[in-house]
Amino acid sequence: MFPRCSGILLHVASLPGGHGIGDLGNSAHEFVEFLAESGQKIWQILPLSPTGYGDSPYQCFSAFAGNPLFIDLKALHEQGLLSGQDLTNAPSLPEERIEYAPVIDFKRGLLGKAAHVFLADGASTDGRAFDTFCRNNSDWLDDYALFMACKGAYKDAAWVYWDPGIRQRDSAALKEWQSRLSAEIQVHKFAQFEFFRQWEKLKAHCGRLGISIMGDIPIYVAHDSADVWAHPDLFRLDEQGRPNPVAGVPPDYFSATGQLWGNPLYRWETSAASGHQWWIDRVRASLKLLDLARLDHFRGFEAYWEIPADASTAAEGKWVKGPGAEFFQTLQTELGELPFIAENLGVITPEVEALRQRFGFPGMSLLQFAFGNDPQGPTFRPHNYSRELVAYTGGHDNDTTVGWWTSSGLGESTRTAEDIRNERDFTRAYLGFQDEAINWVFIRTVLASVANVAIIPLQDVLGLGSYARMNLPGTLSGNWEWRYKQKALTKEISEQLRKLTLLYDR
């Protein structure tokens, strides 16, 4: 499943062009061609679902739906669903950052217009395809579309603030709201139809060029989501429907007080009683979109960090046993071989590693973690790599490699100034370099390693500094905004990457 190869980590939102945010149009297809020309075999992305709180792809309104912001508006124009004037009326938006509020307002309005034009011609071939899509995905689509329509009616308020009938999914209230919001519900269904149609074209293009798509399955879902609203029995909620306790991780490299995510925890015993049916449906839906999947926060399936809802920091939590092997055995029995990569970072125990190895999921290693004073540092050093591993220069929660090397690093982690000096001295000694560009030293190191798979964030290929960082854990703003410039992927960069890829048999 994991032959020796390499790839690039880039979220769809970070593509250039489009209308203020990356989309599934020309720039996505051009990026796939860049991957092929550079000898890469994997495109790794972040979750594709519609983002909510903080614009984070790890806090989404649905674990099943696609993000409507990724829909290529030019394709809607080509279908006759939007006018040329619609596209030229786009607001002025920055090229290298996403300003989510104006992007959401602009694209939401045009998607609504396109939907009304499309739905007025329901007898067309596309109309029949739409009806088929709605039938085939009704198990999640009906709840999602009603949820989003209700959020619009309640001015985007979280579902716990809705009126009791619809909040508690009383059958009479559901029928009433479905009737009242029928037009809005159809708009949301159309957006999903178009997202999946555009995604299938992009995935087919990847397949023709030998590119596998590695996606991301977050362990937790957002509290304000169709998933929790429609399946409250699967989550640990109080009488008001609020999560208690909540998810997070203990103090680590990123934070001295841990990370208080706030997501609802699962009622694993309830999930097990249903044969983990919701999870089976979720993974099956994900694997229709993806070839490979990074299983986010894998250690939470062995034991998870439980934090009281009223805690001020994540340090107040405790470890609680997760579903373990029984969960993965159930998935495997139902779905066959699972093409998972286990995100086994953080506080990892022998029990976590035993679970990962039992099911043959490759783990992850980040080179940025190899040179500091973290007790786990030696496990991230290339001389300790195993072949069944996905090696990264850094991940979406890390600074870029250039940023990590050149910034003070103080205030962003638990490291002191002396720690940083020692880390840099050890990095130079271990990697044996002086004046070479640090990003290419790191790229060469992971490509040369024995790890079967090497993944490089595009920011490191481009040699960008901290301004291009995707996410700083523990912060609430300024994340998930970076985009690369239209002509950044030069022939020279492609050739340099291809040479190293060929040199190390990837």
Side-chain angles (χ1 to χ4, degrees), residues 113-129:
K113 178 179 179 180
H116 290 305
V117 175
F118 177 89
L119 294 165
D121 186 23
S124 67
T125 301
D126 281 353
R128 291 192 292 275

PDB file of all heavy atoms in Angstrom, residues 113-129:
ATOM      1  N   LYS A 113     -27.500  31.968  -6.156  1.00  0.00           N
ATOM      2  CA  LYS A 113     -28.016  32.332  -7.480  1.00  0.00           C
ATOM      3  C   LYS A 113     -27.898  31.158  -8.453  1.00  0.00           C
ATOM      4  O   LYS A 113     -28.844  30.844  -9.178  1.00  0.00           O
ATOM      5  CB  LYS A 113     -27.254  33.540  -8.027  1.00  0.00           C
ATOM      6  CG  LYS A 113     -27.718  33.938  -9.414  1.00  0.00           C
ATOM      7  CD  LYS A 113     -26.978  35.152  -9.957  1.00  0.00           C
ATOM      8  CE  LYS A 113     -27.486  35.478 -11.362  1.00  0.00           C
ATOM      9  NZ  LYS A 113     -26.796  36.652 -11.948  1.00  0.00           N
ATOM     10  N   ALA A 114     -26.706  30.521  -8.468  1.00  0.00           N
ATOM     11  CA  ALA A 114     -26.499  29.385  -9.374  1.00  0.00           C
ATOM     12  C   ALA A 114     -27.470  28.252  -9.068  1.00  0.00           C
ATOM     13  O   ALA A 114     -27.997  27.606  -9.979  1.00  0.00           O
ATOM     14  CB  ALA A 114     -25.054  28.896  -9.265  1.00  0.00           C
ATOM     15  N   ALA A 115     -27.718  28.025  -7.786  1.00  0.00           N
ATOM     16  CA  ALA A 115     -28.638  26.953  -7.397  1.00  0.00           C
ATOM     17  C   ALA A 115     -30.041  27.219  -7.919  1.00  0.00           C
ATOM     18  O   ALA A 115     -30.715  26.312  -8.437  1.00  0.00           O
ATOM     19  CB  ALA A 115     -28.656  26.813  -5.873  1.00  0.00           C
ATOM     20  N   HIS A 116     -30.508  28.455  -7.802  1.00  0.00           N
ATOM     21  CA  HIS A 116     -31.866  28.773  -8.252  1.00  0.00           C
ATOM     22  C   HIS A 116     -31.997  28.585  -9.765  1.00  0.00           C
ATOM     23  O   HIS A 116     -33.016  28.074 -10.247  1.00  0.00           O
ATOM     24  CB  HIS A 116     -32.233  30.204  -7.848  1.00  0.00           C
ATOM     25  CG  HIS A 116     -32.431  30.368  -6.367  1.00  0.00           C
ATOM     26  ND1 HIS A 116     -33.312  29.591  -5.642  1.00  0.00           N
ATOM     27  CD2 HIS A 116     -31.858  31.213  -5.478  1.00  0.00           C
ATOM     28  CE1 HIS A 116     -33.280  29.943  -4.364  1.00  0.00           C
ATOM     29  NE2 HIS A 116     -32.402  30.926  -4.237  1.00  0.00           N
ATOM     30  N   VAL A 117     -30.963  28.976 -10.519  1.00  0.00           N
ATOM     31  CA  VAL A 117     -30.998  28.770 -11.965  1.00  0.00           C
ATOM     32  C   VAL A 117     -31.003  27.282 -12.288  1.00  0.00           C
ATOM     33  O   VAL A 117     -31.772  26.798 -13.133  1.00  0.00           O
ATOM     34  CB  VAL A 117     -29.792  29.467 -12.640  1.00  0.00           C
ATOM     35  CG1 VAL A 117     -29.749  29.148 -14.130  1.00  0.00           C
ATOM     36  CG2 VAL A 117     -29.853  30.980 -12.427  1.00  0.00           C
ATOM     37  N   PHE A 118     -30.156  26.539 -11.600  1.00  0.00           N
ATOM     38  CA  PHE A 118     -30.042  25.094 -11.838  1.00  0.00           C
ATOM     39  C   PHE A 118     -31.355  24.382 -11.507  1.00  0.00           C
ATOM     40  O   PHE A 118     -31.849  23.556 -12.285  1.00  0.00           O
ATOM     41  CB  PHE A 118     -28.907  24.540 -10.976  1.00  0.00           C
ATOM     42  CG  PHE A 118     -28.728  23.053 -11.081  1.00  0.00           C
ATOM     43  CD1 PHE A 118     -27.905  22.504 -12.047  1.00  0.00           C
ATOM     44  CD2 PHE A 118     -29.372  22.184 -10.206  1.00  0.00           C
ATOM     45  CE1 PHE A 118     -27.724  21.130 -12.146  1.00  0.00           C
ATOM     46  CE2 PHE A 118     -29.218  20.811 -10.297  1.00  0.00           C
ATOM     47  CZ  PHE A 118     -28.386  20.293 -11.270  1.00  0.00           C
ATOM     48  N   LEU A 119     -31.928  24.704 -10.358  1.00  0.00           N
ATOM     49  CA  LEU A 119     -33.104  23.982  -9.881  1.00  0.00           C
ATOM     50  C   LEU A 119     -34.356  24.321 -10.697  1.00  0.00           C
ATOM     51  O   LEU A 119     -35.317  23.551 -10.707  1.00  0.00           O
ATOM     52  CB  LEU A 119     -33.331  24.293  -8.401  1.00  0.00           C
ATOM     53  CG  LEU A 119     -32.233  23.766  -7.468  1.00  0.00           C
ATOM     54  CD1 LEU A 119     -32.338  24.409  -6.100  1.00  0.00           C
ATOM     55  CD2 LEU A 119     -32.302  22.242  -7.358  1.00  0.00           C
ATOM     56  N   ALA A 120     -34.323  25.460 -11.385  1.00  0.00           N
ATOM     57  CA  ALA A 120     -35.466  25.828 -12.226  1.00  0.00           C
ATOM     58  C   ALA A 120     -35.558  24.963 -13.473  1.00  0.00           C
ATOM     59  O   ALA A 120     -36.595  24.913 -14.134  1.00  0.00           O
ATOM     60  CB  ALA A 120     -35.357  27.303 -12.626  1.00  0.00           C
ATOM     61  N   ASP A 121     -34.476  24.237 -13.767  1.00  0.00           N
ATOM     62  CA  ASP A 121     -34.436  23.388 -14.967  1.00  0.00           C
ATOM     63  C   ASP A 121     -34.242  21.930 -14.551  1.00  0.00           C
ATOM     64  O   ASP A 121     -33.322  21.263 -14.991  1.00  0.00           O
ATOM     65  CB  ASP A 121     -33.305  23.850 -15.896  1.00  0.00           C
ATOM     66  CG  ASP A 121     -33.301  23.099 -17.233  1.00  0.00           C
ATOM     67  OD1 ASP A 121     -34.369  22.584 -17.601  1.00  0.00           O
ATOM     68  OD2 ASP A 121     -32.242  23.025 -17.861  1.00  0.00           O
ATOM     69  N   GLY A 122     -35.104  21.458 -13.673  1.00  0.00           N
ATOM     70  CA  GLY A 122     -34.932  20.133 -13.088  1.00  0.00           C
ATOM     71  C   GLY A 122     -35.077  18.976 -14.049  1.00  0.00           C
ATOM     72  O   GLY A 122     -34.720  17.843 -13.723  1.00  0.00           O
ATOM     73  N   ALA A 123     -35.595  19.219 -15.260  1.00  0.00           N
ATOM     74  CA  ALA A 123     -35.797  18.115 -16.201  1.00  0.00           C
ATOM     75  C   ALA A 123     -34.549  17.770 -16.996  1.00  0.00           C
ATOM     76  O   ALA A 123     -34.529  16.793 -17.739  1.00  0.00           O
ATOM     77  CB  ALA A 123     -36.926  18.470 -17.168  1.00  0.00           C
ATOM     78  N   SER A 124     -33.493  18.553 -16.834  1.00  0.00           N
ATOM     79  CA  SER A 124     -32.274  18.321 -17.605  1.00  0.00           C
ATOM     80  C   SER A 124     -31.543  17.070 -17.127  1.00  0.00           C
ATOM     81  O   SER A 124     -31.853  16.495 -16.086  1.00  0.00           O
ATOM     82  CB  SER A 124     -31.330  19.524 -17.470  1.00  0.00           C
ATOM     83  OG  SER A 124     -30.865  19.608 -16.134  1.00  0.00           O
ATOM     84  N   THR A 125     -30.531  16.673 -17.910  1.00  0.00           N
ATOM     85  CA  THR A 125     -29.687  15.543 -17.508  1.00  0.00           C
ATOM     86  C   THR A 125     -29.021  15.826 -16.172  1.00  0.00           C
ATOM     87  O   THR A 125     -28.955  14.956 -15.294  1.00  0.00           O
ATOM     88  CB  THR A 125     -28.618  15.273 -18.586  1.00  0.00           C
ATOM     89  OG1 THR A 125     -29.270  14.999 -19.814  1.00  0.00           O
ATOM     90  CG2 THR A 125     -27.738  14.095 -18.186  1.00  0.00           C
ATOM     91  N   ASP A 126     -28.529  17.067 -16.001  1.00  0.00           N
ATOM     92  CA  ASP A 126     -27.917  17.438 -14.728  1.00  0.00           C
ATOM     93  C   ASP A 126     -28.929  17.372 -13.594  1.00  0.00           C
ATOM     94  O   ASP A 126     -28.586  17.012 -12.459  1.00  0.00           O
ATOM     95  CB  ASP A 126     -27.335  18.850 -14.816  1.00  0.00           C
ATOM     96  CG  ASP A 126     -25.994  18.878 -15.540  1.00  0.00           C
ATOM     97  OD1 ASP A 126     -25.474  17.786 -15.847  1.00  0.00           O
ATOM     98  OD2 ASP A 126     -25.480  19.980 -15.798  1.00  0.00           O
ATOM     99  N   GLY A 127     -30.174  17.726 -13.888  1.00  0.00           N
ATOM    100  CA  GLY A 127     -31.214  17.654 -12.863  1.00  0.00           C
ATOM    101  C   GLY A 127     -31.432  16.233 -12.396  1.00  0.00           C
ATOM    102  O   GLY A 127     -31.606  15.977 -11.196  1.00  0.00           O
ATOM    103  N   ARG A 128     -31.411  15.284 -13.323  1.00  0.00           N
ATOM    104  CA  ARG A 128     -31.563  13.879 -12.937  1.00  0.00           C
ATOM    105  C   ARG A 128     -30.344  13.404 -12.141  1.00  0.00           C
ATOM    106  O   ARG A 128     -30.478  12.629 -11.190  1.00  0.00           O
ATOM    107  CB  ARG A 128     -31.775  13.020 -14.195  1.00  0.00           C
ATOM    108  CG  ARG A 128     -33.129  13.260 -14.868  1.00  0.00           C
ATOM    109  CD  ARG A 128     -33.437  12.214 -15.917  1.00  0.00           C
ATOM    110  NE  ARG A 128     -32.555  12.314 -17.073  1.00  0.00           N
ATOM    111  CZ  ARG A 128     -32.757  13.130 -18.098  1.00  0.00           C
ATOM    112  NH1 ARG A 128     -33.807  13.944 -18.111  1.00  0.00           N
ATOM    113  NH2 ARG A 128     -31.922  13.155 -19.138  1.00  0.00           N
ATOM    114  N   ALA A 129     -29.150  13.876 -12.537  1.00  0.00           N
ATOM    115  CA  ALA A 129     -27.940  13.522 -11.782  1.00  0.00           C
ATOM    116  C   ALA A 129     -28.015  14.085 -10.366  1.00  0.00           C
ATOM    117  O   ALA A 129     -27.583  13.434  -9.397  1.00  0.00           O
ATOM    118  CB  ALA A 129     -26.700  14.051 -12.505  1.00  0.00           C
TER     119      ALA A 129
END
